[in-house]
Amino acid sequence: MSVETKAAPLVWPEEEDPREEHLLLDPRPRAELNQIVLDAMHRTGFGFWAAVTVLSLLVLIGLGGAWGYQIYKGMGVAGIRRPVYWGVYITNFVFWIGISHSGTFVSAILRVFKAEFRRPITRGSEMMTAFALVVAGMYPLIHLGRTWRFYWMVPYPNQRQLWPNFHSPLMWDMLAIFTYVIGSTLYLYLPLIPDVAMARDHSTGWRHKLYRILALGWRGTEAEWHHLKTAITIFAFAIIPVMFSVHTIVSWDFGMTMKVGWHSSIFGPYFVTGAIFSGVSAVATVLLIVRKTMKLEYFLRPEHFDAIGKLILIFSFAWTYFFFSDYLTEWYGGEAVGKELITFQAHGPVAPLWYLMLIMNIAIPWLTLWNRRVRRSTWWLFLVTIGVNIGMYIERYIIVTGFLQRNRLPFDWGVYNPSLVEVLISIGSLSLFMLLYVVASRFIPLVPVWEVQEGQITHSLRRIGRALVPSVAELE
Amino acid sequence: MTETTHRWTMAIDLDRCTGCQACVVACHAENNVPVVGEDEVRMGRAMHWLHIERYWVGEYPNIQARFIPMMCQQCENAPCEPVCPVFATYHSQVEDLNIQVYNRCIGTRYCANNCPYIARTFNWFNPEFPEPLNEQLNPDVTVRKRGIMEKCTFCIQRIHDAEHVAEIEGRPVQDGDVQPACAQSCPTNAIVFGDLNDPNSRISQLAGSRRSSRLLEELGTEPSVIYLSGGDAHVS
């Protein structure tokens, strides 16, 4: 039996070469890896400037124009009315908090469980967390009747001699999101330091100055690596309960009320599952675009989307389980208004949306994602993941605005349709997310080069007889 | 002020209610509730603190209209109170009523969602009082601006007024001293207001009636509004 190192010339006897398939078995010199990532950051062609211009305009119209108009005129310019006091704004809030779960889930949980496919995709999804939280955090403010008094929810000694009411789920919500913003930003920043230092050493001018500040004087000594790895491990473990708490508490905004349909003890895990389902789908969507436009095909390979596709399918199963559990208890309980709510969804004005949600969240993922070819196809996966997020948006829309339309006393039933102002603000905030991501992708190395290299060092191909066997060395 | 010994309660005799809406008008006038106009009402933005819910009983042609005057039920255990993050809605120790502090409200509208009676109204826009309504604003009641919640107060300004008069005259508040605008204006005397802690008050007599019940009692909100029904009086 002869054992050779990976440096030896290799001949793969079968059709598939593992080096084409697996990023970690296809090592390249560090300089080359750096160059791919740096090139991606410097690529600012026509498409980039067109996107920045259009997105900036939409942000200006939506968040400057429409939101400004709403503050000036009053909440009446939105479509909300008695008894639907919460509308698209809260829907958007829940949706974006859900998207923000992508980064933490992909990055922290997969890191803790040492899923190797995470290596090139962590940075891109952590950035999504940060920017989705920026957008989500705006919505409670947009939603307030007196936005200019939002700071009254902050506990500080004030002339009103009043602390906020910590009995209110909205206060828990604010604290949870605040914690999550700080935690996830730090968690994005820590693994970024070595990459920023790399960019610092390969840049000049203002970029050099920027990266020098961000790199905190990183030199790559053994002590620095040791501290960094310890910090990342601590954060990876600590951020997971924070992530679960955030969407659980968001669900408690509904679950703690006495509203039929909202008052449900299953809402915590149901919302968390839905958030990860939608968040991981969004990771796939965004990374597919990133791979195409930033030419990162070397790092982001079909194997990664294959793995993400499997995750999406699993979370589709889990979401469906919670979804039907929630319905079954409501239906079996047989309270009049609960039954009316179910009828309302299946036959009422939201019925087309409700069926579309079932198709997007259950039928399409189940029919397509079991197929390896679909998971590896750019267009298929792109469409399926967009569909999942449309479905998940509808789910939140029905829970927030639909359930409010049916109350215990039939006189209090109502209707809700979003107004133009609400639509413009929603488009504006989606554009803000995309704008932040597009701009940041030109400043932040989108692939953690050091993590990929670390993975490539620990993985090698060894020849045993005529076969090539991937071999993994465990570092930690 | 010290804690109240009063237990302000309202009884509404549904068998006497004709659905004439005089109470609604009186409430608007007393409490500076803005009139929003047809278009906004059609949108569901009517500001009534007190509205008449109409239900049909039976099938055509044997059909009856029944009316329920609906306002804040001044729950003892109010679901709107704990969810407010800024204590804009809370339970007053002084009056033992459910209070809305307009100046604290930031407009999360959480209280409105958690009210099983959907009794709260929101200021969607700045209020307008077109001529001649601007001449009759009640100086005892705040005029609210856009972005805040409001609701029936049991005419708390009238309660305070009666208490002040009684204090000046050196006597306790008597039954009938306090009358909210709705009760005052009701042509059939369907609405009775008083102190449940006073065993001789009219409200105490009515509360013991076999016809009395409270709305959505099973939720445990302990409302302070008693509805009386059970007779066959109706409008057909």
Side-chain angles (χ1 to χ4, degrees):
Chain A
M1 190 178 75
S2 70
V3 177
E4 293 174 32
T5 60
K6 62 186 167 168
L10 295 165
V11 184
W12 190 247
E14 313 225 344
E15 294 160 17
E16 269 185 37
D17 187 332
R19 285 166 302 180
E20 250 170 52
E21 165 73 9
H22 298 294
L23 170 66
L24 299 183
L25 296 177
D26 183 21
R28 299 208 185 158
R30 177 61 190 254
E32 206 174 318
L33 300 183
N34 287 346
Q35 206 50 50
I36 298 173
V37 174
L38 291 171
D39 282 350
M41 279 204 293
H42 285 88
R43 190 168 285 118
T44 51
F46 173 77
F48 171 80
W49 289 113
V52 168
T53 313
V54 171
L55 292 174
S56 305
L57 272 176
L58 288 173
V59 170
L60 215 63
I61 293 169
L63 299 179
W67 188 14
Y69 178 66
Q70 177 182 289
I71 292 174
Y72 178 72
K73 285 288 285 184
M75 286 308 290
V77 299
I80 40 179
R81 65 196 82 171
R82 180 182 187 279
V84 186
Y85 287 98
W86 286 1
V88 158
Y89 300 145
I90 296 295
T91 311
N92 289 344
F93 168 70
V94 181
F95 177 77
W96 284 107
I97 290 286
I99 296 288
S100 82
H101 277 44
S102 57
T104 324
F105 181 81
V106 168
S107 177
I109 292 195
L110 298 185
R111 195 190 295 273
V112 164
F113 285 109
K114 295 184 180 157
E116 290 296 326
F117 75 84
R118 70 162 200 278
R119 289 183 184 273
I121 63 177
T122 48
R123 179 76 32 80
S125 44
E126 284 160 19
M127 272 166 58
M128 288 180 62
T129 298
F131 299 140
L133 277 174
V134 170
V135 175
M138 282 181 0
Y139 269 106
L141 306 187
I142 296 174
H143 162 85
L144 284 186
R146 298 207 292 172
T147 303
W148 51 95
R149 292 274 181 259
F150 76 92
Y151 59 91
W152 284 3
M153 284 183 71
V154 179
Y156 68 100
N158 56 62
Q159 99 288 353
R160 304 187 307 288
Q161 305 202 339
L162 203 64
W163 283 99
N165 180 8
F166 287 100
H167 291 200
S168 169
L170 291 185
M171 285 308 300
W172 314 342
D173 215 5
M174 201 185 76
L175 293 173
I177 290 169
F178 208 63
T179 314
Y180 194 44
V181 167
I182 294 172
S184 62
T185 310
L186 283 173
Y187 184 63
L188 165 68
Y189 184 55
L190 283 175
L192 185 60
I193 295 173
D195 287 325
V196 170
M198 179 275 286
R200 173 198 63 194
D201 299 341
H202 293 88
S203 61
T204 53
W206 61 269
R207 270 185 190 269
H208 182 74
K209 281 182 190 152
L210 176 73
Y211 293 137
R212 202 180 59 208
I213 296 166
L214 285 177
L216 303 177
W218 176 268
R219 287 166 300 155
T221 63
E222 195 177 346
E224 281 174 352
W225 277 112
H226 178 73
H227 290 142
L228 183 73
K229 293 231 160 162
T230 313
I232 290 176
T233 308
I234 292 171
F235 263 88
F237 277 94
I239 200 100
I240 293 170
V242 175
M243 176 195 87
F244 277 92
S245 77
V246 168
H247 221 70
T248 304
I249 291 176
V250 167
S251 82
W252 285 348
D253 285 347
F254 308 101
M256 292 292 166
T257 67
M258 354 178 35
K259 196 140 220 84
V260 177
W262 280 6
H263 185 73
S264 161
S265 57
I266 210 172
F267 259 32
Y270 176 28
F271 272 47
V272 170
T273 309
I276 297 174
F277 183 33
S278 121
V280 175
S281 298
V283 166
T285 314
V286 168
L287 288 183
L288 282 168
I289 299 172
V290 162
R291 176 173 69 160
K292 201 80 190 161
T293 57
M294 298 181 70
K295 308 225 185 317
L296 289 172
E297 283 91 351
Y298 168 74
F299 286 109
L300 302 171
R301 299 186 178 206
E303 60 155 337
H304 301 113
F305 294 101
D306 191 58
I308 295 176
K310 284 178 195 163
L311 267 182
I312 296 171
L313 183 59
I314 290 167
F315 275 94
S316 177
F317 291 148
W319 179 84
T320 311
Y321 164 71
F322 280 112
F323 177 79
F324 281 105
S325 300
D326 195 40
Y327 272 83
L328 188 68
T329 45
E330 191 75 63
W331 171 78
Y332 198 89
E335 200 185 344
V337 55
K339 283 204 159 176
E340 170 57 32
L341 260 181
I342 292 167
T343 317
F344 169 75
Q345 289 170 71
H347 306 290
V350 296
L353 288 177
W354 193 70
Y355 289 110
L356 185 63
M357 169 187 78
L358 295 181
I359 292 169
M360 294 295 193
N361 281 358
I362 301 174
I364 292 182
W366 288 23
L367 287 175
T368 57
L369 285 180
W370 59 268
N371 188 326
R372 177 183 152 93
R373 289 226 299 280
V374 170
R375 296 196 303 267
R376 283 161 180 268
S377 140
T378 304
W379 277 107
W380 268 108
L381 193 66
F382 185 75
L383 291 176
V384 170
T385 53
I386 291 273
V388 165
N389 268 310
I390 292 173
M392 284 308 296
Y393 188 88
I394 295 173
E395 187 227 356
R396 279 70 172 260
Y397 181 80
I398 289 176
I399 288 179
V400 176
T401 70
F403 287 13
L404 283 174
Q405 296 178 31
R406 290 292 177 271
N407 289 291
R408 289 186 175 86
L409 300 175
F411 192 85
D412 301 326
W413 291 5
V415 289
Y416 168 77
N417 292 306
S419 73
L420 179 65
V421 170
E422 283 169 307
V423 173
L424 285 178
I425 290 180
S426 304
I427 294 175
S429 67
L430 173 67
S431 306
L432 177 67
F433 173 79
M434 296 200 281
L435 181 66
L436 287 171
Y437 204 93
V438 166
V439 171
S441 67
R442 265 60 187 184
F443 290 98
I444 297 176
L446 253 181
V447 173
V449 182
W450 69 269
E451 280 196 77
V452 171
Q453 198 193 16
E454 183 187 72
Q456 290 182 339
I457 290 169
T458 56
H459 288 66
S460 59
L461 270 182
R462 289 176 184 253
R463 181 187 295 277
I464 299 173
R466 283 193 175 174
L468 280 176
V469 180
S471 143
V472 183
E474 182 64 81
L475 277 179
E476 295 152 67
Chain B
M1 284 214 214
T2 51
E3 286 196 18
T4 183
T5 52
H6 302 296
R7 180 81 201 88
W8 299 114
T9 306
M10 182 181 281
I12 302 176
D13 193 330
L14 299 182
D15 298 335
R16 287 180 175 221
C17 177
T18 62
C20 74
Q21 313 243 13
C23 50
V24 177
V25 176
C27 177
H28 268 262
E30 169 73 17
N31 292 302
N32 301 337
V33 180
V35 179
V36 293
E38 274 177 48
D39 290 339
E40 287 297 307
V41 169
R42 211 176 290 128
M43 268 286 279
R45 264 87 175 270
M47 298 283 297
H48 315 310
W49 284 8
L50 161 62
H51 61 260
I52 307 285
E53 300 194 350
R54 183 207 59 209
Y55 291 98
W56 298 111
V57 180
E59 290 291 321
Y60 182 84
N62 300 317
I63 196 161
Q64 295 180 0
R66 297 301 304 254
F67 303 102
I68 305 180
M70 178 72 73
M71 75 293 279
C72 172
Q73 306 284 305
Q74 301 288 350
C75 304
E76 273 291 272
N77 185 13
C80 56
E81 289 165 4
V83 297
C84 178
V86 290
F87 286 113
T89 174
Y90 78 108
H91 213 80
S92 156
Q93 307 289 307
V94 177
E95 295 93 357
D96 194 15
L97 289 176
N98 180 266
I99 302 285
Q100 178 73 19
V101 184
Y102 307 126
N103 286 342
R104 286 181 188 168
C105 179
I106 58 174
T108 66
R109 304 189 289 288
Y110 203 175
C111 53
N113 278 344
N114 208 19
C115 174
Y117 310 98
I118 321 288
R120 297 175 149 262
T121 60
F122 186 69
N123 284 273
W124 302 102
F125 296 105
N126 272 334
E128 282 174 29
F129 297 95
E131 297 269 355
L133 295 177
N134 58 337
E135 303 287 351
Q136 63 99 55
L137 288 176
N138 186 349
D140 292 336
V141 179
T142 317
V143 174
R144 289 80 56 186
K145 292 201 83 177
R146 70 183 190 278
I148 58 172
M149 296 299 308
E150 55 184 62
K151 63 167 195 75
C152 166
T153 61
F154 265 7
C155 283
I156 195 169
Q157 66 279 6
R158 292 188 175 207
I159 295 175
H160 287 161
D161 198 38
E163 283 172 344
H164 291 155
V165 170
E167 199 181 327
I168 290 165
E169 293 175 359
R171 58 173 175 82
V173 179
Q174 291 160 357
D175 192 33
D177 276 0
V178 185
Q179 204 172 28
C182 51
Q184 188 182 10
S185 64
C186 181
T188 58
N189 284 329
I191 303 177
V192 174
F193 188 79
D195 181 4
L196 200 63
N197 284 353
D198 175 1
N200 299 317
S201 64
R202 276 198 301 157
I203 190 79
S204 295
Q205 316 291 325
L206 290 172
S209 158
R210 275 175 53 209
R211 292 163 62 233
S212 77
S213 66
R214 296 176 202 231
L215 207 56
L216 299 179
E217 221 167 350
E218 70 277 14
L219 298 178
T221 51
E222 301 174 34
S224 297
V225 178
I226 297 168
Y227 288 96
L228 302 165
S229 69
D232 57 358
H234 66 270
V235 183
S236 55

